[in-house]
Amino acid sequence: MKISHSWLTQYLNVSKTPDEISKILTSIGLEVESLEAKETVKGGLVGVVVGEVLTCEKHPDADKLSLTTVNVGADQPLSIVCGAPNVAKGQKVLVATVGAKLYFNDQEIVIKKAKLRGQLSEGMICAEDELGLGDSHDGIMVLPADAPVGMPAADYLRIEKDYQYEIGLTPNRIDAASHYGVARDLAAYLTYHESPVKANLPDVSNFKVDNNTLPIPVEVLNTEACPRYCGITISGVKVAPSPEWLQKRLRSIGLNPINNVVDVTNFVLHEVGQPLHAFDADAIKGNKVIVRTMPEGTPFVTLDGVERKLSADDLMICNESEPMCIAGVFGGLHSGVTEKTTKVFLESACFNPVYVRKTGRRHDLHTDASFRFERGTDPNITVWALKRAALLIKEVAGGTISSEIVDVNSSPVNHFEVDFNIHRAWSLIGKQIPEVDIEKILEGLEIRVLKKNGQQWLLGVPTYRVDVRREADVVEDILRIYGYNNVEIGAKVNGTLSYTKKPDSLQMQNIVSDYLSSNGFAEIMCNSLTKGGYYEGLATFPEVNSVKILNPLSNELNVLRQTLLFGGLESIQRNINFRNLNLKLYEFGNCYVFKPEVKSEKPLDKYSEHFSIGIWLTGENIKEHWMTKPERQNFYHLKGYVHSILSRFGFSIDRIEASEAPGDIYAYGLTYKAQGKHLVTYGMVSPEILRQFDIKTDVFFAEIMWLPLMDMIAESKIQYQELPKFPEVRRDLALLIDSSVKYEQIRKLAFETERKLLKSVNLFDVYQGKNIPEGKKSYAISYILQDESKTLTDEQIDRTMKRLIDVYVRELGAQIR
């Protein structure tokens, strides 16, 4: 949200600098993300001065160019080649001198000395559009004859310097979505910390109805969707460009002026946060406004020229025969104000946030008005805003107010009452703020103390604070004005101590994080909200198990994630787009599952969440170097990291059950289980999934289930024993086996055959190709044997290896090479 400093100070007399104000706003919850100096004309016209054309002759080699000499107040006049058809001797003009920077069509142009068709040009005589003062390019700007030669254009045109705050407004603070709202919050801070000051609304006491020649009655058929609707008519308006002051105000926050009537509605919206809409009164058939919903599928052409099919739940502003506007969201093509409009019906309403939010999402329409209505507007400012806009329209467009204010208010509201306990507030804050200070802060926030009964207070919250409905909300408001930094951290910290045999999960996370970070990984944090389309057609993570958001922010963030995979792939895609190709990433995060098959009276029983670790590898493991060859990340690099993590927590890899990873997620990979619990799945991500992200390189991904890991660590018993006194023995086998046989089968058979002496099995070579029959492959495998009570004899070793060979031949059809 953009806020203009000069506009802000219209409502609050404050002498602080923009930098000081930005720090205050950030401290009270209105975070200023950027503060930027702005001029009413981009660049401030630095280097542009008033000049006088002393001579003007035709260019000898170009029919459309003129040779001029221009006095700009310097020692010598400038020679300038000009292409404008209206340039003439004696004119006062605006001249961009050498070095001046202009912004034409948003592109920076630096004025330099140049030769045009052989003639020296030492500047440029400018047109309106070249200076950013208008759209005209018919010729140069000609100033009045009394314009002082040499005066900077910024001084002559009274170019104003302003500052623009970019505020990262949180969804709960819609009360501050306007200049007056920000001024009101700033006043609360200054009143408590410095001296009493109040933000003031413009005076509308001179509002009066001029006549009653154009009454337009209003009927609200859906009072749930529209609790309050106000309207008034203005006749005899002349639609034209807005005056300079109004255009400057809108441009100061990045809005383009449209016409004087529409500009007034936008001005009031950004002044006090109340959206307004102006209708051409002649387009209101039947001379009546009806607020209602329309039948499902009713076609409606919006202001952007797009025909949309309405839902039966879309609230519409209609005349007697057809809809004119989607309430609180977007106007219609045929009912808006145009240059031919002479009569205006002005609307100021309060719409139900849920209706507006659902309609906006349904039609993918998001406007400044819907942004405010979706979060809740003040129902008690509608009439004031209507009066303010009507007076401004009379000022800038003429006309007379031609009806009484129509005010359909089905549910009048005054203030919201909140019970407030001083002791509970102190407990939440962690500090005993004096009661007199609390009352002073509440007064600055316009929260009234209705009743006091010792430590128990009854408060009246103003209607514009739609986010303050609980005692905790009031405490938060008090604390942000008092200052979070003013709450000291004492030497004594109270806490509840408990003993558990389970390992400290946070400590274990730190161990894993330290290990991965020390091996070159970067930690990422992805959004728990993700795109539901990622889960379409998946068997491992079925779409039906996605936890859907009832009112999603967008179609790209409409479900909670079932896996960490897709968030990491989005990060990889973004990095690759910025040419950061070699990535090692990890993330800790929750995943969420909906189980519709669960039968329970408690709705939450259908939902579950689990904590996971995600690990991603892509690109090169070893970068190109004169001493080494580049090496790509591969499955075995990832396997090594997974094994290291499991081993660090005391798991014996040789005793873990392994199976193939699911084929809809992985091109190949493994799933590990222990005691029937799923521990980890890892492998190379399926090319079909990578194509969704336009990733054209291999990505390797592991997801470790954290809770089962913690449970098994808690259950495992740590046993200490002496280091073996007797040596271990290594024996190797080269097996010729069918290509379909997996290494896991070989390893598993080995431990089932020899449980006592066999300590580890390791595959150290795989070969397919020349001298190997088709459909076969050769595995070279090492076996470590050891007896902890005595030294192994050759006879024991040979007997063990023979048993292994026999079982491989019998079970796998292996041949010993």
Side-chain angles (χ1 to χ4, degrees):
M1 181 185 71
K2 293 179 173 61
I3 294 292
S4 159
H5 177 76
S6 63
W7 192 350
L8 177 68
T9 54
Q10 296 297 304
Y11 313 105
L12 184 67
N13 185 16
V14 58
S15 59
K16 293 190 175 296
T17 66
D19 187 58
E20 290 172 331
I21 289 176
S22 69
K23 291 176 181 177
I24 292 173
L25 293 178
T26 298
S27 73
I28 60 177
L30 303 179
E31 182 182 359
V32 177
E33 296 176 341
S34 67
L35 176 63
E36 187 177 354
K38 291 282 186 179
E39 297 91 2
T40 49
V41 176
K42 188 173 182 179
L45 300 184
V46 175
V48 181
V49 298
V50 175
E52 181 180 10
V53 181
L54 302 178
T55 63
C56 180
E57 301 173 355
K58 288 293 182 184
H59 193 295
D61 299 321
D63 294 338
K64 294 184 178 181
L65 298 179
S66 299
L67 301 180
T68 68
T69 56
V70 183
N71 177 18
V72 294
D75 295 338
Q76 297 292 329
L78 301 179
S79 298
I80 298 177
V81 179
C82 181
N86 64 328
V87 64
K89 179 181 177 180
Q91 290 174 335
K92 294 291 182 67
V93 293
L94 291 177
V95 179
T97 59
V98 173
K101 293 181 180 179
L102 304 181
Y103 296 87
F104 183 55
N105 292 333
D106 287 331
Q107 292 187 347
E108 183 181 272
I109 300 173
V110 180
I111 304 301
K112 301 177 180 178
K113 283 186 180 181
K115 282 193 175 183
L116 299 177
R117 295 289 182 92
Q119 299 294 324
L120 179 65
S121 184
E122 301 175 293
M124 183 171 77
I125 305 174
C126 301
E128 277 187 8
D129 61 340
E130 293 166 338
L131 295 171
L133 298 173
D135 299 324
S136 174
H137 195 68
D138 296 335
I140 59 171
M141 285 184 66
V142 179
L143 305 179
D146 60 355
V149 172
M151 175 180 279
D155 295 339
Y156 181 77
L157 298 172
R158 295 190 295 276
I159 301 299
E160 298 176 3
K161 188 172 184 179
D162 195 4
Y163 290 87
Q164 185 185 90
Y165 305 93
E166 182 75 38
I167 295 179
L169 195 68
T170 53
N172 64 312
R173 291 305 312 279
I174 197 61
D175 64 288
S178 65
H179 285 77
Y180 176 70
V182 173
R184 187 170 50 200
D185 231 32
L186 183 58
Y189 176 90
L190 295 174
T191 295
Y192 175 71
H193 289 278
E194 297 183 9
S195 58
V197 62
K198 185 173 177 60
N200 296 304
L201 282 171
D203 183 20
V204 295
S205 60
N206 61 340
F207 172 87
K208 66 182 181 66
V209 177
D210 298 311
N211 56 63
N212 203 19
T213 58
L214 188 60
I216 296 182
V218 173
E219 184 178 2
V220 179
L221 299 183
N222 189 334
T223 55
E224 178 191 5
C226 180
R228 190 168 192 179
Y229 190 96
C230 305
I232 199 171
T233 60
I234 307 171
S235 301
V237 301
K238 180 176 177 56
V239 177
S242 295
E244 184 180 357
W245 73 265
L246 181 53
Q247 292 194 36
K248 283 182 177 179
R249 281 284 178 254
L250 297 180
R251 286 197 178 104
S252 70
I253 56 172
L255 293 182
N256 291 321
I258 299 172
N259 60 54
N260 45 13
V261 174
V262 175
D263 290 350
V264 164
T265 63
N266 285 331
F267 175 83
V268 175
L269 165 67
H270 290 278
E271 179 177 53
V272 294
Q274 173 60 36
L276 304 170
H277 190 72
F279 296 89
D280 187 328
D282 289 331
I284 303 177
K285 297 177 182 178
N287 206 41
K288 184 178 183 180
V289 170
I290 304 172
V291 184
R292 55 170 296 187
T293 55
M294 299 297 293
E296 185 74 32
T298 300
F300 178 67
V301 181
T302 46
L303 197 58
D304 55 2
V306 177
E307 182 178 285
R308 305 175 191 275
K309 302 296 182 182
L310 299 178
S311 164
D313 294 324
D314 292 335
L315 186 68
M316 305 297 295
I317 311 301
C318 309
N319 55 40
E320 280 199 332
S321 60
E322 62 188 5
M324 300 185 295
C325 173
I326 302 178
V329 180
F330 210 36
L333 183 62
H334 306 298
S335 63
V337 172
T338 68
E339 58 186 14
K340 297 179 181 178
T341 298
T342 59
K343 302 172 185 176
V344 171
F345 175 78
L346 195 60
E347 163 196 288
S348 179
C350 179
F351 297 117
N352 186 310
V354 175
Y355 274 80
V356 176
R357 187 182 306 120
K358 287 184 176 180
T359 294
R361 301 296 183 272
R362 193 177 294 123
H363 297 290
D364 197 22
L365 289 171
H366 309 282
T367 61
D368 284 341
S370 67
F371 175 84
R372 286 155 178 83
F373 281 128
E374 286 177 7
R375 290 157 177 80
T377 57
D378 180 8
N380 289 336
I381 203 173
T382 51
V383 172
W384 184 94
L386 202 62
K387 291 179 179 179
R388 170 71 165 157
L391 290 172
L392 286 173
I393 289 174
K394 285 186 65 176
E395 177 186 334
V396 303
T400 58
I401 297 173
S402 305
S403 73
E404 299 289 341
I405 292 177
V406 178
D407 185 5
V408 182
N409 190 0
S410 61
S411 305
V413 292
N414 186 6
H415 56 250
F416 191 86
E417 294 185 355
V418 175
D419 290 319
F420 178 76
N421 185 279
I422 294 291
H423 282 299
R424 277 199 300 268
W426 288 343
S427 176
L428 286 171
I429 294 171
K431 180 177 181 178
Q432 292 190 13
I433 300 175
E435 289 186 29
V436 65
D437 285 5
I438 290 178
E439 196 161 1
K440 186 177 181 181
I441 291 172
L442 292 176
E443 182 182 352
L445 291 167
E446 300 181 8
I447 298 176
R448 291 184 295 148
V449 180
L450 303 177
K451 187 188 300 183
K452 284 186 180 182
N453 184 11
Q455 301 297 314
Q456 193 69 33
W457 296 2
L458 181 64
L459 306 179
V461 179
T463 52
Y464 64 79
R465 288 306 304 273
V466 296
D467 62 312
V468 179
R469 291 294 180 265
R470 305 169 302 163
E471 182 180 60
D473 299 328
V474 176
V475 172
E476 181 184 1
D477 255 16
I478 292 170
L479 186 54
R480 68 185 181 84
I481 298 300
Y482 178 76
Y484 293 101
N485 292 335
N486 292 329
V487 179
E488 303 85 358
I489 299 176
K492 179 183 177 183
V493 178
N494 297 326
T496 301
L497 299 178
S498 61
Y499 173 76
T500 175
K501 291 184 178 180
K502 285 192 174 183
D504 185 332
S505 179
L506 183 58
Q507 182 182 4
M508 295 298 172
Q509 289 179 47
N510 288 336
I511 290 173
V512 174
S513 180
D514 288 345
Y515 166 72
L516 292 173
S517 297
S518 63
N519 278 277
F521 283 80
E523 184 174 6
I524 61 174
M525 295 179 68
C526 300
N527 200 337
S528 295
L529 293 172
T530 188
K531 181 180 177 181
Y534 291 152
Y535 299 95
E536 292 178 2
L538 294 183
T540 305
F541 303 107
E543 186 180 8
V544 69
N545 292 139
S546 293
V547 178
K548 295 180 173 62
I549 307 301
L550 292 179
N551 295 304
L553 297 173
S554 70
N555 292 331
E556 302 298 313
L557 300 171
N558 59 348
V559 301
L560 290 173
R561 61 188 178 190
Q562 294 187 54
T563 172
L564 301 179
L565 170 63
F566 299 117
L569 292 180
E570 289 175 349
S571 299
I572 290 172
Q573 178 193 39
R574 191 175 303 111
N575 275 274
I576 288 176
N577 289 342
F578 284 94
R579 306 303 300 163
N580 188 15
L581 307 179
N582 306 317
L583 301 169
K584 298 167 76 173
L585 309 173
Y586 72 95
E587 178 184 14
F588 296 94
N590 281 315
C591 298
Y592 309 85
V593 178
F594 171 64
K595 299 177 181 178
E597 71 278 4
V598 173
K599 306 297 182 185
S600 174
E601 295 180 357
K602 298 179 180 179
L604 291 181
D605 288 347
K606 294 177 179 288
Y607 298 87
S608 65
E609 65 178 89
H610 61 269
F611 194 70
S612 302
I613 312 172
I615 302 173
W616 294 263
L617 298 176
T618 189
E620 293 181 354
N621 183 46
I622 300 176
K623 295 182 180 180
E624 187 175 7
H625 188 265
W626 69 273
M627 290 186 65
T628 59
K629 293 182 179 179
E631 181 184 6
R632 303 288 297 177
Q633 301 280 7
N634 59 48
F635 171 80
Y636 296 100
H637 292 129
L638 180 62
K639 181 179 180 180
Y641 294 123
V642 170
H643 283 196
S644 294
I645 292 171
L646 295 178
S647 298
R648 176 63 181 81
F649 291 150
F651 288 91
S652 173
I653 303 301
D654 293 327
R655 306 300 178 184
I656 288 177
E657 304 169 25
S659 59
E660 289 191 29
D664 57 343
I665 302 296
Y666 297 93
Y668 57 84
L670 292 173
T671 295
Y672 286 168
K673 291 184 178 180
Q675 302 174 19
K677 296 180 181 179
H678 180 199
L679 284 182
V680 59
T681 300
Y682 65 97
M684 176 180 165
V685 179
S686 164
E688 288 75 15
I689 288 180
L690 295 180
R691 273 195 289 271
Q692 296 182 47
F693 298 86
D694 196 29
I695 296 175
K696 298 180 176 63
T697 186
D698 293 342
V699 176
F700 300 91
F701 170 66
E703 190 160 22
I704 301 174
M705 304 296 109
W706 190 253
L707 186 59
L709 199 66
M710 293 297 99
D711 288 342
M712 279 183 264
I713 293 174
E715 294 170 4
S716 65
K717 295 181 179 179
I718 300 176
Q719 295 181 340
Y720 296 91
Q721 60 186 32
E722 290 185 74
L723 292 173
K725 297 178 181 178
F726 303 99
E728 59 184 31
V729 176
R730 169 175 167 161
R731 289 292 185 268
D732 297 340
L733 286 180
L735 304 178
L736 185 64
I737 56 176
D738 291 339
S739 297
S740 60
V741 176
K742 306 294 185 185
Y743 164 68
E744 176 59 23
Q745 295 172 261
I746 297 173
R747 190 188 68 83
K748 188 175 180 181
L749 274 175
F751 282 107
E752 290 175 351
T753 303
E754 177 52 63
R755 298 178 182 274
K756 182 181 178 182
L757 301 181
L758 185 59
K759 299 303 179 182
S760 66
V761 180
N762 180 50
L763 175 67
F764 63 88
D765 188 46
V766 180
Y767 177 71
Q768 283 179 291
K770 187 177 179 181
N771 299 326
I772 297 294
E774 187 175 351
K776 298 285 186 178
K777 60 185 175 183
S778 175
Y779 273 178
I781 302 173
S782 65
Y783 300 85
I784 303 298
L785 306 174
Q786 187 180 46
D787 190 331
E788 295 178 3
S789 61
K790 60 181 183 298
T791 300
L792 287 172
T793 64
D794 288 341
E795 182 180 341
Q796 285 178 296
I797 296 168
D798 292 342
R799 189 164 56 245
T800 299
M801 296 306 296
K802 185 176 185 307
R803 285 205 310 274
L804 292 174
I805 292 170
D806 289 344
V807 77
Y808 289 153
V809 172
R810 183 174 65 252
E811 300 290 339
L812 303 178
Q815 300 177 37
I816 306 303
R817 299 184 67 199

